[in-house]
Amino acid sequence: EEKLPGIPAEGLPPTDFTITGASFDGMISGETARLKGTIRLRVLRDAWVRVPLMSTDAVLRSVNIDNAATTLFAEGGSYVFTPDKAGDYQIESAFEVPVALSGSAGGCRLPVPAATATVLELTLPGISRDVLVNPALISERQVSGSGLRVRAVVPVCDGVDVSWAGPSSTQFDLYRAEYVGRLEGDSALFEVEMRVDVATDAVVDVPFLPSSVALSGVTLDGKEVTVR
């Protein structure tokens, strides 16, 4: 009986492998992000299998597979692992990526495998501002004496963009705004959350929306306020 194109033969899995999960922990240090991570891989057939793990934009410092040091080869812009046996593999790696800095702001792209879910934890010394992790299903931030600690759960993708802003040299800095809107009749209604750093104990005027916008339900740190 003939098989339709794209339908695997009986008893064979539709894919050769699956990356069941990954976790990475690292730190931003100047113009470099240094990370260590664990990738959990399941190979589904006894045959040579090509498994792209992460982009060659990263500089690999070490790789261990099931506690044995190994070397990955680069192909098609990815570091590739080629097992020949079905089973579960644990891949430990240490790598670095460059950080782009502009004054006290910065950003970097962290290569990750296309895992079912990836947990990323990152420390940013000297940073106490909000950090954007994209994409992220869940993102948590905690300020400590050593800087900002970020934990994010990342969906299936091949890279995560991390960016941040440094302290402002002015009296205030309106550094982030999120808008969620809907159409209602002939009007557009928005719920807006803004984040601002104020660098002085003096009274500061913070212009944030034009006076032509009708405002309602304005709160500051959870308390209702009036604006002028």
Side-chain angles (χ1 to χ4, degrees):
E1 182 180 356
E2 291 186 0
K3 292 290 184 181
L4 293 175
I7 304 297
E10 293 296 334
L12 293 179
T15 59
D16 293 333
F17 67 91
T18 179
I19 299 177
T20 59
S23 58
F24 296 93
D25 196 326
M27 177 178 291
I28 303 293
S29 179
E31 296 182 350
T32 304
R34 296 181 173 89
L35 294 96
K36 294 182 177 180
T38 300
I39 300 170
R40 292 173 293 280
L41 169 69
R42 177 164 294 173
V43 177
L44 303 174
R45 62 177 65 183
D46 288 321
W48 288 106
V49 175
R50 178 184 177 279
V51 183
L53 293 176
M54 67 173 62
S55 168
T56 52
D57 291 341
V59 178
L60 279 178
R61 295 305 183 191
S62 65
V63 181
N64 288 274
I65 298 178
D66 293 337
N67 297 316
T70 190
T71 300
L72 303 178
F73 69 91
E75 179 186 280
S78 296
Y79 291 113
V80 177
F81 173 46
T82 54
D84 63 349
K85 300 291 184 183
D88 293 330
Y89 296 83
Q90 181 165 297
I91 304 166
E92 310 280 347
S93 65
F95 61 93
E96 300 176 357
V97 296
V99 173
L101 296 176
S102 178
S104 56
C108 60
R109 182 168 178 81
L110 306 177
V112 297
T116 304
T118 297
V119 176
L120 170 66
E121 298 191 52
L122 195 62
T123 300
L124 295 92
I127 302 294
S128 60
R129 301 286 302 281
D130 200 11
V131 172
L132 180 63
V133 180
N134 183 46
L137 299 174
I138 303 172
S139 185
E140 302 170 353
R141 301 160 179 82
Q142 182 178 1
V143 178
S144 67
S146 59
L148 188 66
R149 182 74 170 169
V150 178
R151 183 181 188 275
V153 178
V154 179
V156 178
C157 63
D158 61 4
V160 180
D161 293 308
V162 181
S163 58
W164 62 92
S168 173
S169 60
T170 60
Q171 288 186 316
F172 69 90
D173 185 13
L174 184 59
Y175 64 92
R176 186 173 180 181
E178 297 178 2
Y179 291 74
V180 177
R182 69 182 188 277
L183 291 176
E184 191 169 293
D186 58 357
S187 299
L189 306 181
F190 290 90
E191 293 182 2
V192 183
E193 179 179 318
M194 297 183 175
R195 301 187 183 186
V196 60
D197 271 352
V198 178
T200 176
D201 291 330
V203 176
V204 177
D205 287 332
V206 181
F208 60 94
L209 285 172
S211 57
S212 58
V213 174
L215 297 176
S216 65
V218 180
T219 63
L220 177 64
D221 293 337
K223 298 179 181 179
E224 288 193 8
V225 295
T226 58
V227 295
R228 59 180 178 83

